[in-house]
């Protein structure tokens, strides 16, 4: 297949689900069967093309091979941004994951969503989600990654809230979107830092530029942590994991597609894709966050009785593994786990969906003994459980083992053993809670006869996806690890020298877009000179890249063997304990929990994350918005109205002054004249006698005056 | 018409207003049709303008130059460049759609539509005038119809809102008037040597003289203009007229108010303040960025505190205009292009939101967010349209708001690093208040009180869909609008920031 | 004791004072006229007295006769006015006759 054909296929893979969305959104109601067949058909076509691309890269066997095409999207003269497609091994793998799971979920939904009043809308949204997710996989620049990243968030919002008449669903989708936005805030800041430093959004131009002119100091770590925040949000890492369990309010196929197999893995994919942009400091953060998430998720899953909630925490835990893998330098193993996990976790969710469809409850204490009633669901669920528990010969074993080995090697090299120990413990816990789930749901005696009586195996549209995924859950690893099996054809650490060579257009440092000379801004981000850069970056490479010296290789070998033995042991222990507790009843789980009331309480309340946010972030935000509103209404508007009032008071005074002073003067002159007139009028009586009297008195007066003289 | 395109665009509504004023009041339907025709003319001309506009030059185009008042050198000087064209397009489009949206006005139909047409003329004139005096005249012409439109056709506290709006804006105009006079007396017409109101002469620093050579004076003039325009934007703390005016104004007037009038503030800054006082603009960029950040966050938090839908949308305007300020303060190409694109996008998006609020208000006769619930089941089509507008406001990629917001941040980050990071929190808070409202109004259990609420009508859809298409198209490919403005804006930023 | 000049003058001054008083205080037009007559007679008495006690002919007597004639003429005219007044206003009270003033 030529490059051209690959690109066209990739474009078709991307756009076919969008077409499905558009048609079903506008015309779905008018189509026969509300158009579900159309969604499935378009997705099927997309899936076939994805397989074709996959086959091409399989044949090529070169993980560094990449096919890119760009079109100019924004052009402002100095500032330019391209929209581009990137197809390489990693995206080929992701394409297969996304389209396969999406196709199966489409099929599954035909049965599961049957009779819903917004049936066609559901398929439209599934198409939209698939489109956005494929956009994340296929875009070749940070800007478009971010755009599809947000669209995926929207799809998740729409699908979690699909049954929005339930208040819990209406709250859950908001929570999911907002929590993701918090992560996206950091993600966007990270993008801004890298763009400002290098003036491009393109991954490989950035890699080359960052390789040649790394940013110095804390800024690079900060930028890396910023990017990682996006992953924390989307991949539900501690402390932003709180949305994922609530997201189970969505229909179960959605949980399988988005909140287990694909979307939540986007964060992992993003970190793997952008690994050269993370410095050792940022990677350490990644490793610890991942490990803590893996452990916390597993512990909470122990006590959940809601089957979907328990699976949700299981997902959080597994995502922690993948993220930690990025941090400890085995990105390929993390991607491999993403691949295997996608299938067995989708299977677990669809299996749980099949159960919920049958018994109409999500509470495990109300199930039990479903094995006979739903044999296909049981067996496929069991296979997925074996896979996630890390039992050899099932896919999860190979990927999880590689991650644990990487974590141990990381610990031995860097003296950071915490990630390894936490994830090892989490591996045991995973085996325990997964088998607990199987035992409680399918084994033993039915605990709710009425529900058990009505339970039945699901229709073929639901079981076919289950069986398909079960097959994949077994074979998808190829019974080999990520670096020695087929997966190494697709994903391998970036070869920086080759990237630099193949990216001639890589911008030089500081050549961002021109900040005009008059603006002596802080625009020049500090960057190392070429010489010292190599050294520090070499260190980074060793951390997540190939092991070059023999010591390192030795450490890795030791770590691999040790981790494999340990992980099999803890998994076996977990399964054994679960068997003792829930099958044989040798251990009374409630007694154990009663012995540890504090721990139980903390786990039951999920480490109080929700309470903590409710008491701090939510309360603060609401309080602050209330404060702003009040401030606006009372203070600012108060000042404005006060000014108005003051003006009116002043004008009242001015009115007074006008009436009494200015007008007073005018009237005063008149009054004086009038008064004088009044006075003189009295004199001018017209009475001659008076005049005469005046005259006489005047004469007398004159006489006296002159006499006095 | 091609010769005097801008004049026709400006005065066609005036003709319409005159015809309506001469028509006996009982012909209500005819009045509405005439108004629609009188706004359709500028819309068609705007399309012509869009097609014929030369995107490769920063010079003024479609100029018309006549002497108006000879003794004071006042000219009738109209022209457009890349900064004004998007605004003119926005004005023409929104005015037309608002006439359609006002179809159900029954009170004093004649007065309403003639005032509305007068308003459009004023707005067009502001965006086309190149003579400062003419600009000022149009600026004031637009004020008066607005006052009456709020004061007569408004809600319960219409008098308060109208007077507040009027006084606020008038205070701004006075400051602008003073600055204008200062320019008039200290700028020399290079040809005649006399005083001039010609903006292009004022923009040329070589013509400046007199007190304009004093830095303090320039600062005072800058502040006068800035406050004058800031009131219109509105910039914190001059924004409180906005929520009141919006809450009281009828739907179509809200649309014009938020969609076009707010843009006049930032347009004035870019058309007048920036090129005439470039040194002050550069000196003031940090305060401006801070004000932008305050607007973004403060507006968003205030919006979250509201229970009146319209007030919420009004505060979201405060928040979104903050992005414009932030982009303008960046003093680089991306920032300023982002800012003007944001002006355009905010115009379309907020128009959609106000129209949507109007739809529900017409049906339920209240706008209390907590009084609804579950409308998504009752009015699915309406819910889809409103959600579309709301997500555009949130800055969802693929819709136009995202492009401009992202450009603003990309532009502002190198210049104001910390402020930009703080402002970026606005994308979180912005999503919070929108989604919270969405949840309270459309999601959840259906409120039984609204079981008979009719779905959005065809006429209402007709006003919303064109804007929606623009929002979508510009979100996917923003170049059609960016192409219009980039040359002029790049030139402007080169003049201002060197 | 013989009557000297000062006695005549004293009588004349008394007459004048009485006349003036009448003129100033009376409201009746006829009484006014009588006051005026008294004043004129006081003047005549002065003239006659001075003519008797001061050498120099009969000038004083002549003037006295003139005064009498004048007084007669004056009384005639004034009484005619008073008659007319009475006919027009029905009163001879001078204060009531103030139409011009109003």
């Amino acid at each position: 297949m030529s490059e051209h054909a690959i690109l066209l296929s990739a474009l078709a893979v991307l756009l076919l689900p969008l077409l499905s969305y558009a048609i079903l959104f506008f015309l779905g109601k008018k189509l026969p069967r509300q158009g579900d067949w159309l969604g499935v058909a378009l997705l099927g076509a997309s899936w076939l093309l994805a397989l074709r691309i996959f086959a091409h890269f399989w044949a090529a066997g070169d993980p560094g091979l990449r096919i890119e095409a760009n079109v100019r999207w924004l052009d402002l003269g100095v500032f330019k941004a391209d929209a581009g497609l990137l197809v390489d091994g990693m995206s080929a793998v992701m394409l297969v994951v996304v389209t396969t799971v999406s196709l199966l979920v489409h099929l599954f939904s035909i049965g599961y969503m049957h009779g819903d009043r917004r049936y066609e809308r559901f398929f439209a949204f599934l198409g939209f989600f698939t489109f956005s997710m494929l956009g994340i996989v296929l875009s070749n620049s940070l800007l478009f990654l971010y755009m599809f990243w947000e669209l995926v968030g929207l799809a998740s919002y729409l699908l979690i809230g699909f049954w929005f008449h339930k208040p819990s669903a209406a709250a859950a989708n908001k929570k999911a979107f907002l929590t993701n936005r918090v992560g996206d805030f950091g993600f966007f800041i990270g993008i801004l830092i890298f763009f400002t430093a290098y003036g491009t959004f393109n991954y490989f131009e950035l890699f080359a530029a960052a390789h040649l002119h790394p940013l110095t100091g804390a800024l690079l770590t900060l930028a890396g942590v910023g990017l990682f925040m996006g992953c924390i949000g989307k991949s539900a890492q501690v402390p932003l994991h709180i949305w994922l369990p609530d997201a189970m309010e969505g229909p179960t196929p959605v949980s399988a597609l988005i909140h287990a197999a694909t979307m939540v893995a986007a964060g992992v994919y993003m970190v793997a894709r952008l690994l050269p942009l993370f410095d050792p400091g940022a990677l350490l953060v990644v490793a610890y966050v991942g490990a803590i998430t893996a452990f916390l998720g597993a512990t909470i899953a122990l006590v959940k009785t809601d089957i979907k909630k328990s699976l949700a925490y299981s997902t959080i835990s597994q995502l922690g593994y993948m993220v930690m893998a990025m941090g400890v330098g085995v990105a390929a193993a993390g991607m491999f786990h993403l691949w295997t996990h996608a299938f067995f976790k989708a299977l677990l969710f669809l299996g749980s969906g099949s159960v919920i469809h049958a018994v109409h409850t999500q509470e495990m204490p109300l199930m039990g003994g479903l094995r006979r009633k739903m044999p296909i669901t049981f067996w496929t669920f069991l296979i997925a459980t074996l896979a996630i528990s890390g039992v050899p010969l099932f896919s999860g074993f190979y990927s999880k083992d590689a991650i644990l080995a990487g974590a141990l090697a990381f610990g031995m090299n860097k003296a950071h053993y915490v990630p390894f120990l936490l994830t090892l413990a989490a591996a045991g816990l995973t085996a325990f809670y997964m088998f607990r789930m199987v035992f409680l749901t399918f084994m033993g005696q039915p605990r709710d006869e009425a529900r058990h009586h009505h339970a039945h195996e699901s229709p073929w549209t639901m079981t076919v996806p289950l069986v398909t995924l079960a097959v994949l859950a077994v074979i998808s690893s190829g019974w080999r690890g990520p670096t020695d099996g087929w997966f190494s054809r697709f994903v391998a650490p970036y070869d920086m020298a080759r990237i630099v060579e193949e990216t001639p257009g890589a911008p030089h440092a500081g050549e961002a877009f021109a900040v005009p000379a008059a603006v002596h801004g802080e625009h020049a981000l500090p960057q190392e000179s070429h010489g010292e850069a190599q050294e520090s970056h070499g260190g980074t490479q060793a951390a997540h890249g190939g092991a070059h010296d023999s010591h390192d290789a030795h450490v890795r070998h030791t770590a691999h063997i040790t981790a494999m033995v340990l992980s099999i042991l803890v998994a076996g222990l977990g399964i054994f304990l679960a068997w003792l507790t829930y099958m044989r009843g040798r251990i009374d789980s409630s007694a154990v929990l009663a012995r540890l009331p504090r721990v139980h309480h903390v786990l039951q309340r999920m480490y109080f994350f929700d309470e903590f946010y409710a008491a701090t972030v939510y309360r603060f935000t609401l309080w602050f918005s209330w404060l702003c509103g009040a401030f606006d209404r009372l203070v600012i508007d108060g000042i404005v109205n006060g000014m108005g009032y003051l003006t009116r008071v002043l004008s009242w005074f001015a009115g007074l002054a006008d009436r009494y002073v200015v007008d007073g003067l005018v009237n005063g002159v008149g009054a004086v004249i009038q008064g004088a007139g009044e006075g003189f009028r009295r004199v001018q009586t017209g009475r001659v006698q008076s005049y005469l009297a005046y005259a006489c008195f005047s004469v007398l007066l004159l006489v006296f005056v002159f006499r006095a003289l | 018409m091609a010769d005097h395109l801008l004049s026709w665009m400006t005065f066609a509504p005036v003709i319409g207003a005159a015809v309506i004023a001469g028509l006996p009041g009982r012909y209500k339907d005819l009045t509405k049709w005439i108004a629609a025709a009188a706004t359709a003319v500028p819309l068609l001309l705007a399309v012509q303008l869009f097609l014929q506009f030369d995107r490769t030059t920063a010079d003024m185009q479609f100029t018309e130059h006549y002497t108006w008042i000879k003794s004071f050198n006042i000219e009738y000087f109209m022209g457009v460049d890349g900064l004004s064209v998007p605004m003119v397009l926005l004005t023409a489009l929104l005015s037309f759609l608002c006439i359609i949206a006002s179809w159900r006005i029954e009170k004093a139909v004649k007065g309403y539509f003639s005032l509305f047409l007068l308003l459009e003329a004023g707005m067009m004139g502001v965006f086309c005038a190149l003579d400062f005096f003419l600009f000022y005249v149009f600026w004031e012409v637009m004020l008066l119809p607005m006052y009456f439109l709020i004061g007569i056709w408004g809600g319960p506290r219409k008098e308060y809102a109208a007077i507040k709006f009027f006084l606020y804006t008038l205070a701004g105009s006075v400051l602008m008037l003073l600055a204008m006079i200062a320019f008039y007396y200290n700028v020399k017409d290079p040809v005649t040597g006399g005083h001039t109101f010609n903006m292009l002469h004022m923009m040329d620093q070589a013509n400046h003289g007199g007190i304009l050579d004093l830095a303090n004076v320039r600062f005072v003039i800058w502040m006068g203009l800035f406050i004058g325009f800031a009131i219109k934007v509105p910039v914190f703390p001059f924004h409180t007229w906005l929520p009141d005016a919006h809450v009281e104004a009828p739907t179509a007037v809200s649309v014009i108010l938020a969609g076009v009038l707010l843009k006049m503030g930032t347009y004035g800054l870019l058309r007048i303040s920036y090129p005439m006082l470039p040194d002050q603009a550069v000196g003031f960029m940090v305060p401006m960025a801070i004000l932008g950040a305050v607007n973004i966050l403060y507006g968003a938090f205030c919006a979250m505190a509201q229970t009146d839908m319209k007030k919420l949308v009004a505060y979201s305007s405060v928040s979104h205009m903050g992005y414009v300020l932030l982009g303008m303060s960046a003093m680089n190409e991306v920032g300023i292009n982002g800012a003007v694109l944001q002006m355009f996008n905010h115009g379309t998006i907020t128009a959609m939101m106000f129209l949507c609020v109007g739809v529900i208000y017409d049906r339920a006769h209240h706008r209390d967010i907590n009084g609804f619930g579950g409308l998504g089941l009752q009015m699915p089509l309406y819910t889809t349209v409103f959600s579309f507008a709301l997500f555009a406001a949130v800055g969802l990629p693929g819709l136009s708001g995202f492009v401009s917001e992202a450009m603003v941040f990309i532009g502002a980050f190198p210049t104001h690093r910390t402020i930009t990071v703080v402002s970026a929190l606005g994308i979180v808070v912005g999503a919070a208040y929108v989604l919270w409202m969405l949840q309270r109004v459309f999601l959840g259990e259906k409120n039984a009180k609204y079981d008979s609420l009719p779905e959005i009508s065809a006429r209402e859809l007709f006003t919303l869909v064109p804007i929606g298409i623009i929002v979508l198209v510009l979100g996917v490919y923003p170049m059609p609008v960016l192409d219009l403005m980039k040359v002029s804006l790049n030139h402007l930023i080169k003049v201002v920031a060197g | 004791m013989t009557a000297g000049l000062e006695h005549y003058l004293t009588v004349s001054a008394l007459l004048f004072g009485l006349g003036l008083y009448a003129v100033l205080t009376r409201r009746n037009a006829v009484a006014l006229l009588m006051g005026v007559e008294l004043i004129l007679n006081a003047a005549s008495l002065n003239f006659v007295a001075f003519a008797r006690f001061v050498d120099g002919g009969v000038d004083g007597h002549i003037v006295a006769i003139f005064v009498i004639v004048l007084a007669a003429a004056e009384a005639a005219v004034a009484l005619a006015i008073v008659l007319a007044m009475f006919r027009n206003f029905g009163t001879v009270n001078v204060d009531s006759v103030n139409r011009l003033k109003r």
Side-chain angles (χ1 to χ4, degrees), chain A residues 438-461:
Chain A
V438 170
F439 293 148
L440 282 179
T441 311
F442 294 101
M443 313 298 266
Q445 295 304 312
R447 283 178 292 273
D448 185 331
E449 278 300 338
R451 289 179 192 277
H452 187 260
H453 182 71
H454 285 291
H456 55 84
E457 186 57 280
S458 301
W460 70 268
T461 50

Side-chain angles (χ1 to χ4, degrees), chain A residues 73-76 147 150-151 157 164 174 177 181 196 513 516 518-519 522 525 625 631-632 636-637 640-641, chain B residues 160 164 168 239-240 285 298 301 305 315 331 394 397 413 417 427 438-439 444 476 479 482 486 490 497:
Chain A
W73 185 60
L74 274 188
D75 183 357
L76 296 178
M147 288 170 65
E150 289 274 302
L151 288 183
Y157 176 87
F164 58 76
K174 183 185 69 177
F177 197 89
R181 270 265 158 146
T196 308
F513 47 90
V519 187
E522 359 160 22
L525 299 173
S625 79
F631 180 78
D632 207 59
I636 298 196
D637 228 23
V640 172
N641 287 339
Chain B
Y160 172 76
K164 198 169 175 182
Y168 246 123
H239 64 279
T240 55
M285 67 186 191
Y298 185 80
F301 275 112
Y315 275 110
M331 294 293 163
V394 166
F413 187 73
R417 217 182 288 165
I427 63 175
L438 202 61
Q439 180 193 358
V476 175
M479 281 320 279
L482 283 175
K486 67 178 184 188
N490 291 353

Side-chain angles (χ1 to χ4, degrees), chain A residues 113-304:
Chain A
M113 298 302 288
H114 182 76
D116 195 279
R117 62 181 278 185
R118 294 165 77 226
Y119 183 73
E120 90 293 347
R121 198 50 71 85
F122 185 78
F123 283 89
F125 288 164
L126 283 185
F128 180 69
F129 164 75
T130 313
F131 158 72
S132 323
M133 186 65 206
L134 292 169
I136 289 185
V137 173
L138 288 171
S139 57
N140 73 341
S141 69
L142 289 179
L143 189 62
F144 274 81
L145 174 65
Y146 182 81
M147 288 170 65
F148 284 112
W149 192 262
E150 289 274 302
L151 288 183
V152 158
L154 173 70
S156 157
Y157 176 87
L158 294 171
L159 284 167
I160 295 172
F162 189 73
W163 289 322
F164 58 76
H165 50 87
K166 289 196 298 184
S168 54
N173 64 351
K174 183 185 69 177
K175 184 173 177 180
F177 197 89
L178 289 184
T179 315
N180 270 301
R181 270 265 158 146
V182 174
D184 295 350
F185 161 74
F187 189 20
F188 194 67
I189 301 296
I191 294 175
L192 283 180
I193 295 177
F194 282 114
F195 179 77
T196 308
Y198 301 116
T200 177
F201 291 115
N202 184 284
Y203 297 154
F204 290 93
E205 288 177 14
L206 274 176
F207 296 165
H211 183 65
L212 297 173
H213 318 277
L215 294 167
T216 51
L219 200 62
L220 184 55
T221 308
L222 206 67
V225 171
L227 292 183
F228 181 55
M229 265 183 80
C231 168
I232 292 181
K234 198 65 79 194
S235 289
Q237 299 295 295
V238 171
L240 296 182
H241 64 284
I242 48 160
W243 66 271
L244 188 58
D246 290 30
M248 298 304 142
E249 289 296 336
T252 304
V254 168
S255 306
L257 173 60
I258 300 185
H259 306 116
T262 57
M263 183 188 88
V264 287
V268 178
Y269 169 78
M270 183 264 279
V271 178
R273 175 58 86 194
L274 303 177
L275 208 54
L277 299 180
F278 289 81
D279 76 336
L283 286 174
L284 199 62
V285 173
V286 173
Y288 269 88
V289 168
I292 291 170
T293 308
F295 183 75
L296 290 191
T299 51
I300 297 173
L302 287 178
V303 298
K304 285 280 149 195

